[in-house]
Amino acid sequence: MEKTKIELDRGLVKVNDAQETAEPGVFAIGDIVAGLPQLAHVGAMSGMIAVAKIAGRSFRPVRRDRIPGCTYTSRRSGQRA
């Protein structure tokens, strides 16, 4: 990485709207991308965006204000809801 133009932000890779790094032709997706939540559906979408860009197809960038979140809970056996 030291010999590339790839930029990091606190250990995460900076990308543009097409998931491309500052190094032309090098893309980053999923949990290593700066500014994206580490969620499976976000990683999958960033991968689809990168593939569309590589294939020369149109794409819409990730809208950070429209990423669904989730909360996990557990209920122990025998407890009432």
Side-chain angles (χ1 to χ4, degrees), residues 2-33:
E2 293 79 27
K3 296 181 181 181
T4 70
K5 296 178 183 177
I6 296 172
E7 300 173 11
L8 299 178
D9 178 13
R10 294 176 295 195
L12 300 172
V13 180
K14 291 183 179 182
V15 296
N16 62 18
D17 284 345
Q19 300 302 125
E20 191 169 15
T21 68
E23 182 72 28
V26 177
F27 295 78
I29 63 170
D31 293 353
I32 65 167
V33 175

Side-chain angles (χ1 to χ4, degrees), residues 75-81:
R75 186 176 67 189
R76 295 179 186 218
S77 177
Q79 288 183 335
R80 298 180 73 179

Side-chain angles (χ1 to χ4, degrees), residues 5-75:
K5 296 178 183 177
I6 296 172
E7 300 173 11
L8 299 178
D9 178 13
R10 294 176 295 195
L12 300 172
V13 180
K14 291 183 179 182
V15 296
N16 62 18
D17 284 345
Q19 300 302 125
E20 191 169 15
T21 68
E23 182 72 28
V26 177
F27 295 78
I29 63 170
D31 293 353
I32 65 167
V33 175
L36 288 182
Q38 295 179 340
L39 299 168
H41 52 284
V42 177
M45 185 56 150
S46 64
M48 290 188 285
I49 291 167
V51 169
K53 171 66 176 174
I54 292 165
R57 297 185 178 242
S58 64
F59 65 89
R60 286 185 279 178
V62 172
R63 295 261 324 252
R64 288 168 173 77
D65 62 329
R66 293 194 174 178
I67 296 172
C70 56
T71 303
Y72 294 96
T73 64
S74 65
R75 186 176 67 189

